[in-house]
Amino acid sequence: MEQQIVFKEEARKAFLDGDGNVDFGKVQARWNELAKVKVSLGNKYFTPEVVEQVKKLSGADQQRFLDVMMGGLANDDSSVGVYATRPEDYDVFSFYLQPLIRDYHKIEGETKQEHDWNIPVDEYVLTKIDPKLEKVSMRARVARNVKGWNLPPLMSKEERINFENKMVEAFENFGIKGKYHSLTPGHKNQITQEQADELIKRHFLFNDMTTDNHLTSSGVASDWPFGRGIWISEDETKMIWVGEEDQLRIISIVQGNDLGKVDQSLYQLLTGIEKSGLEFAEHPTYGVVTTCPTNMGTGKRQSILGKFPNITNGGKDEKKLKDIARQFGLQARGMGGEHSAMDHEGTADISPSARFGVTEAVVTRRLYEGLIKLYEIEAQAGKEQQQQA
């Protein structure tokens, strides 16, 4: 199917009846159509029992339930296909979202998300794996949303602008030197398109969200570019995205070889925001509340940029690296993150896939242990290629 960019307000009209109410027959027909291409988790768990439960809710909640599914209904390549619109969606629509979350995160039995930032420095050192890994681009980021605000898919233009202004106040008072760069027209910190393009080129700022149909159809990209921007520390090792898929993406970037130092930097940034008076949204079971359920739990993603020319055959066989990485609980993506390509050196963004049911410390340890395995296979592939030459 040809994928076209469509915004939520227009896309959702296809699933309403003549009176503007949600027509669940139309929703089911669309899920059936999509199943011929790919069955997302949103599709899988849209059962007759779920429909009966939704019909017992108020008209407003039925409309919000449709909003939750819009990212999946409007995209034939969705793997998950749901986006929460408010923190309380995870309770109001638990009959739909809970089995989906348990499936994605492979949760069995009773479990509750715990946090642990006790991550040692000098232990997870990449040069112990390979002496050549002296200066590596290492990143860690956490997704966060602030208590008392709608999540990005439901935010109005006014709410997005108000939230951005609230964050600018926080940035001025949280004790780390830096500067906020706004994309909002007329904002006191607005930057030019040329400046924004340069930040994107440097892999600091996120891309134009209106080019991604998952973000437009779910409402995440609505009102672009209002309420969007990035705070960057003076030394350019700490960054905070405002107004992307989650209200905040808090990022630490370190050039070096000690994974623990990335976490140390990130935790300093995180606690600085909390000390400014903001309270992050948390769920008693799932931990950090995020727009996409895949990030629930720690909300943390930690990665390095590594070169794997032998496994990928000079970047020509990305699938092989992705398949091998998956065996060790890792994700391999292109240099620019999800949906981007690897270069001719097989440069890939490598990160652990687990978010829920693991602590922040475990995420770091799993990345290190997985990299040991991955670089062993890379070295072996190099030896085999030399023997064949």
Side-chain angles (χ1 to χ4, degrees):
M1 296 180 188
E2 184 71 22
Q3 208 71 57
Q4 295 182 329
I5 297 296
V6 59
F7 283 84
K8 184 179 76 172
E9 289 309 310
E10 186 62 34
R12 70 193 312 282
K13 290 177 183 177
F15 307 103
L16 304 177
D17 64 19
D19 297 319
N21 300 313
V22 180
D23 186 328
F24 290 103
K26 291 180 179 179
V27 173
Q28 184 63 69
R30 175 59 173 159
W31 282 134
N32 292 344
E33 179 186 5
L34 289 168
K36 298 171 186 175
V37 181
K38 184 176 183 178
V39 179
S40 66
L41 290 178
N43 194 344
K44 178 180 177 180
Y45 289 101
F46 185 80
T47 63
E49 292 77 19
V50 163
V51 174
E52 288 307 308
Q53 288 270 63
V54 179
K55 287 181 177 178
K56 296 174 185 175
L57 300 176
S58 67
D61 276 338
Q62 289 184 34
Q63 295 286 352
R64 276 189 282 268
F65 185 77
L66 175 61
D67 286 342
V68 166
M69 298 185 293
M70 281 311 306
L73 290 169
N75 293 280
D76 57 32
D77 61 346
S78 286
S79 296
V80 179
V82 299
Y83 292 86
T85 67
R86 310 164 299 166
E88 53 265 41
D89 284 352
Y90 288 106
D91 292 319
V92 176
F93 307 130
S94 62
F95 53 86
Y96 176 60
L97 295 176
Q98 185 184 65
L100 184 154
I101 291 169
R102 294 180 73 86
D103 186 336
Y104 178 84
H105 291 285
K106 306 294 186 285
I107 302 169
E108 295 180 3
E110 293 299 315
T111 187
K112 182 181 177 183
Q113 179 62 42
E114 303 289 345
H115 297 289
D116 176 14
W117 283 92
N118 185 23
I119 301 163
V121 172
D122 296 328
E123 184 167 332
Y124 304 124
V125 180
L126 299 177
T127 48
K128 293 179 183 178
I129 300 174
D130 186 334
K132 293 195 291 290
L133 300 176
E134 180 67 37
K135 194 172 183 181
V136 176
S137 176
M138 307 178 294
R139 290 190 178 210
R141 68 101 172 119
V142 288
R144 290 292 187 271
N145 292 284
V146 178
K147 193 174 180 180
W149 299 76
N150 288 317
L151 298 179
L154 194 61
M155 279 181 148
S156 65
K157 181 178 176 181
E158 182 182 18
E159 189 176 9
R160 294 181 199 277
I161 293 171
N162 289 342
F163 180 80
E164 180 183 36
N165 290 334
K166 181 78 173 174
M167 288 311 304
V168 170
E169 289 178 21
F171 296 146
E172 291 170 351
N173 296 299
F174 78 152
I176 303 173
K177 290 183 178 180
K179 184 179 179 182
Y180 183 67
H181 308 261
S182 177
L183 301 182
T184 301
H187 193 280
K188 66 177 183 177
N189 299 101
Q190 185 185 2
I191 58 175
T192 65
Q193 186 59 54
E194 289 74 20
Q195 290 171 314
D197 290 341
E198 180 61 27
L199 291 174
I200 292 170
K201 186 179 176 182
R202 296 180 67 191
H203 300 294
F204 286 1
L205 183 62
F206 47 93
N207 293 319
D208 180 344
M209 295 164 67
T210 62
T211 62
D212 186 331
N213 197 53
H214 293 270
L215 301 181
T216 57
S217 59
S218 63
V220 170
S222 295
D223 310 306
W224 174 268
F226 290 90
R228 275 73 173 205
I230 181 174
W231 176 89
I232 305 174
S233 67
E234 207 170 66
D235 63 3
E236 297 188 337
T237 65
K238 300 177 179 68
M239 298 170 198
I240 302 172
W241 291 355
V242 176
E244 208 243 10
E245 184 179 291
D246 291 289
Q247 293 162 3
L248 302 173
R249 290 283 172 95
I250 302 163
I251 305 161
S252 170
I253 303 174
V254 175
Q255 294 286 334
N257 54 65
D258 189 339
L259 296 179
K261 289 186 178 179
V262 190
D263 288 295
Q264 191 179 60
S265 172
L266 181 64
Y267 189 66
Q268 179 192 10
L269 193 50
L270 201 53
T271 51
I273 296 171
E274 289 178 312
K275 286 177 182 174
S276 74
L278 296 176
E279 184 179 354
F280 296 128
E282 282 258 347
H283 190 277
T285 301
Y286 305 129
V288 171
V289 169
T290 56
T291 300
C292 182
T294 62
N295 289 317
M296 296 285 272
T298 61
K300 179 188 173 192
R301 183 176 184 276
Q302 187 154 1
S303 67
I304 71 150
L305 277 183
K307 298 181 188 298
F308 300 92
N310 300 321
I311 293 176
T312 63
N313 188 23
K316 297 171 189 171
D317 192 353
E318 295 185 14
K319 184 179 183 300
K320 185 176 180 181
L321 178 61
K322 290 178 179 180
D323 290 344
I324 292 172
R326 197 175 298 118
Q327 295 172 25
F328 305 120
L330 301 177
Q331 291 175 319
R333 301 177 176 179
M335 294 174 65
E338 197 168 14
H339 308 307
S340 65
M342 299 176 195
D343 64 8
H344 67 281
E345 293 183 291
T347 306
D349 176 283
I350 306 292
S351 69
S353 53
R355 306 275 191 274
F356 182 83
V358 294
T359 64
E360 291 78 6
V362 169
V363 171
T364 304
R365 176 169 56 80
R366 286 190 179 176
L367 174 59
Y368 186 74
E369 292 174 349
L371 287 172
I372 291 174
K373 302 288 188 184
L374 216 49
Y375 276 106
E376 282 177 357
I377 294 171
E378 170 66 13
Q380 184 59 38
K383 289 177 184 176
E384 290 173 0
Q385 288 174 14
Q386 285 179 346
Q387 289 169 0
Q388 292 169 5

